[in-house]
Structure formats: C-alpha cells, structure tokens
Amino acid sequence: MTFYSACSLAILASFLATLAVGSNAGGISIYWGQNGNEGTLSDTCSTGNYEYVNIAFLWTFGNGRTPRMDLAGHCDPYSNGCTKLSSDIKSCQAKGVKVMLSIGGGIGSYSIASKEDAQEVATYLWDNFLGGETTSIRPLGNTSLDGIDFDIESGGSQHWDDLARYLSAYSTKSKKVYLTAAPQCPYPDAWLGGALQTGLFDYVWVQFYNNPPCQYSANISNLEDGWKQWTSDIPVSKIFLGLPAASEAAGSGFIPVNDLTSKVLPAIKSSPKYGGVMLWSKYYDDQTGYSASIKKYV
C-alpha cells in the first residue's frame, strides 16, 4: 500500500466518521410561558438555540371543565391579551421552529372522562389553536400552532390514547398535526404509558429529572438503562433526553454541562431514535446559558 492510498483512506474514514456523527445530530426543545422574565416568544426563537418551543400550559380541560390557559406574566388570555402572540408564533415558524401548545403540567386540573370527552377536547384544541375555526376569539390569535404536547402528570391514565387519535386524525398531506409528550422516566409512564403505544407521537421528551431511579448520578448506569428501555419499547421516531436547564429548575436530576457532553450524550447518541435534549425551561436557560453551551454537542 502506497503512502498516498493510505492517506486517502484515512481522509475517507475521517469523512465518513463525521457523516455518522452529523447524521445523528439532535435538536433542543424548550418550554416557554411560565415566567414573565424569560423574554418574548419571538426572542426565544431568535436565539437559534431551539428547534421546538412548547407554550406552557393549557392547564385546565376535560370532563366538563372550562379550558383555562396560564402564561404566567407574559399575558392574560382571559382579556384576549395573548392574541398578540400570533405574530411571534409566525416569526418562530418562519425560522423553522415548531411551536406546540403544551397541555397539562404539574399543577393542572385536567382529565379525560370518556372517548366522547376526548373528542370534545380534540375539537376544542383544533378550533382554538390548530387549523380549525371558531366563532370566538382564538386565545393565541389568528395563527395555527404545529401541534399539541402532552405534559400529563395527573388526571388518570384513561383516554389519552383517544385524544391522540382524534388529534392525529386532523392531519392532512398539506398540514400535519404534530404530537409530542413529556412522560416521566420510570417506565412505563403512569399516565401516558398506553397512549405512547399508539405510535401516533412524533417526539417524546422523557423527563430524566425529579426521578432518582432513572436520572443521572455519579453512576450513569441508571440513566443509560432507562434510556435503553424507552428507545427500545416506544414506537416513536425520536426520543429526547429531558433535563432541567439549571439546578434550581428541578428538585434533582441537573447534569453539569461537562458531564452531559463528555459522558451522557456519547452514551445515548448511538441510538437511531435519539432526537436531542429537552430543557425546562426558557427562564432557567437564560440564567445558565445551558442550551448555548451544549448545542454543538447535541
């Protein structure tokens, strides 16, 4: 073998390795809406750090409840104060950022009582936040979000699969309704376990925090084992590692940037279902610069 051919092979090998890493590059998903000091939605998308933004939360719905949204200090949806977000949403989408409405949350009042109730909730979401029409003023203005995020942390385990089916049925060839979810890392998730088996969810950002049995610690094995179970058992195209963006953002589970980039990501990125990292939340990310620090490694 000549020196020239050996060099050529080395260059080719390096190039192929670069392609392999790049082919499994991920994105960052962020939650926005729960702190009025986290900047505007438009500014959030303009950072270039995020591929997905979840507007949080529609925290009351289902079983006869009047749907209620809470966007903390950003705007008051009950005085039509959040319709101004329409232009921000369009600005985000023009940048290629998918904008979802997150339903549920940790302190919400919600549940789905029946298949018929699931259909009613799906109709409400379609008419008020997605591609449908309503005779009343849409809470976020005259724009269509990209989909619905299920951050279900209470309200029982029944009929979330029905809600997913009804929402997915609104998808057309020209406009897909994306479905995402944020289950807890103990498998299967207590609330969304059944719904996630439908194969209807596009992205699942698993919360690997506030859950010591499967979150990161000095021994990475718990997180690795949890990751492998999620990526092997859920029929979804992409799964994300859900983390707090600061130690103050969660009770436990924060991973220092160096540990994430040198230990955790190399251990999980080999999965073909690896989608990237989800962060809670934009406010805490502003305090630490976490997303900017990890983006090139994600």
Side-chain angles (χ1 to χ4, degrees):
M1 181 181 291
T2 66
F3 175 75
Y4 175 78
S5 61
C7 284
S8 299
L9 289 173
I11 292 171
L12 177 61
S14 177
F15 175 70
L16 291 175
T18 301
L19 282 181
V21 172
S23 65
N24 213 25
I28 298 177
S29 173
I30 194 80
Y31 279 83
W32 176 93
Q34 286 301 290
N35 193 300
N37 297 315
E38 62 192 344
T40 68
L41 181 59
S42 179
D43 289 343
T44 297
C45 295
S46 293
T47 64
N49 291 337
Y50 317 115
E51 282 69 36
Y52 313 90
V53 175
N54 304 290
I55 298 177
F57 292 104
L58 182 77
W59 64 280
T60 299
F61 61 88
N63 198 18
R65 302 177 183 92
T66 299
R68 296 181 65 87
M69 172 179 279
D70 172 30
L71 294 182
H74 288 287
C75 56
D76 178 13
Y78 306 110
S79 62
N80 298 324
C82 297
T83 57
K84 62 184 181 182
L85 291 179
S86 178
S87 59
D88 284 28
I89 294 166
K90 291 175 181 176
S91 173
C92 290
Q93 292 170 330
K95 293 178 174 67
V97 178
K98 288 184 172 60
V99 185
M100 320 292 291
L101 172 68
S102 188
I103 64 173
I107 57 172
S109 175
Y110 52 85
S111 61
I112 304 292
S114 64
K115 188 173 183 178
E116 292 73 24
D117 192 27
Q119 186 171 23
E120 289 183 12
V121 173
T123 300
Y124 169 80
L125 294 171
W126 172 252
D127 287 343
N128 286 275
F129 299 99
L130 301 169
E133 297 181 358
T134 179
T135 55
S136 59
I137 297 175
R138 289 163 63 99
L140 301 181
N142 189 26
T143 190
S144 178
L145 298 177
D146 293 290
I148 302 296
D149 174 60
F150 288 51
D151 184 10
I152 305 303
E153 303 183 36
S154 64
S157 61
Q158 298 299 308
H159 304 295
W160 300 113
D161 55 340
D162 292 320
L163 181 59
R165 290 186 185 97
Y166 284 121
L167 287 170
S168 180
Y170 284 117
S171 288
T172 65
K173 291 182 179 179
S174 60
K175 180 66 173 178
K176 176 178 174 61
V177 175
Y178 287 88
L179 298 181
T180 66
Q184 310 292 312
C185 62
Y187 186 89
D189 183 77
W191 298 280
L192 289 174
L196 291 173
Q197 291 295 335
T198 62
L200 296 174
F201 287 83
D202 300 284
Y203 312 116
V204 174
W205 12 85
V206 183
Q207 297 184 47
F208 282 89
Y209 55 95
N210 292 334
N211 286 294
C214 46
Q215 70 189 28
Y216 179 76
S217 62
N219 184 347
I220 194 177
S221 62
N222 285 351
L223 186 149
E224 275 192 290
D225 290 345
W227 177 262
K228 289 175 181 175
Q229 185 158 36
W230 278 97
T231 53
S232 62
D233 291 355
I234 294 296
V236 62
S237 59
K238 295 296 178 184
I239 292 180
F240 290 61
L241 180 71
L243 299 173
S247 58
E248 299 80 13
S252 61
F254 175 72
I255 304 179
V257 168
N258 186 60
D259 287 3
L260 180 72
T261 57
S262 66
K263 299 177 183 179
V264 178
L265 289 180
I268 68 173
K269 288 185 71 173
S270 60
S271 168
K273 288 187 178 181
Y274 170 80
V277 173
M278 174 273 278
L279 296 177
W280 175 268
S281 62
K282 174 60 166 51
Y283 172 76
Y284 291 105
D285 194 28
D286 285 348
Q287 311 310 305
T288 62
Y290 199 86
S291 65
S293 298
I294 69 171
K295 187 169 178 61
K296 68 178 180 181
Y297 301 98
V298 172

